[in-house]
């Protein structure tokens, strides 16, 4: 294998490592969090993969509320 092949493997390995760490950090945030609907104020906890792949900006996530059925921003609330 040429030097370019080894560099490509190193880069791919590093990208997988970063993805794994980001997923692990997301899991620990998800475990301690709940979300509050902007429309009705209902507090809920979505499934992990829904949380992981949801559109978000800082502490607002776009979910469909299980209570009112509206798709709107939900504020992240960290539980102690």
């Amino acid at each position: 294998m040429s030097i370019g092949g080894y560099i490509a493997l190193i880069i791919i390995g590093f990208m997988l490592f970063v993805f794994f760490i980001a997923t692990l950090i997301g899991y620990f945030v998800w475990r301690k969090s709940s979300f509050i609907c902007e429309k009705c104020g209902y507090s809920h906890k979505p499934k992990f993969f829904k949380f992981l792949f949801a559109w978000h900006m800082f502490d607002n996530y776009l979910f469909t509320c299980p209570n009112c059925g509206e798709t709107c921003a939900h504020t992240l609330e960290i539980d102690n």
Side-chain angles (χ1 to χ4, degrees):
M1 186 182 292
S2 67
I3 191 78
Y6 288 118
I7 292 173
L9 285 176
I10 290 171
I11 291 172
I12 291 170
F14 180 73
M15 288 172 57
L16 288 173
F17 176 73
V18 168
F19 179 75
F20 174 74
I21 295 298
T23 303
L24 193 63
I25 290 170
Y27 174 73
F28 287 118
V29 168
W30 172 78
R31 270 188 18 188
K32 294 235 173 220
S33 64
S34 61
F35 295 87
I36 300 172
C37 177
E38 278 187 351
K39 301 284 184 187
C40 67
Y42 182 72
S43 179
H44 68 98
K45 183 180 193 107
K47 294 187 187 278
F48 175 66
F49 284 108
K50 188 175 266 195
F51 161 75
L52 190 64
F53 294 114
W55 289 96
H56 63 281
M57 177 70 67
F58 305 113
D59 64 344
N60 289 322
Y61 286 75
L62 186 65
F63 292 120
T64 300
C65 180
N67 187 41
C68 65
E70 292 284 330
T71 300
C72 60
H74 288 70
T75 305
L76 175 67
E77 180 182 70
I78 303 293
D79 303 329
N80 291 331

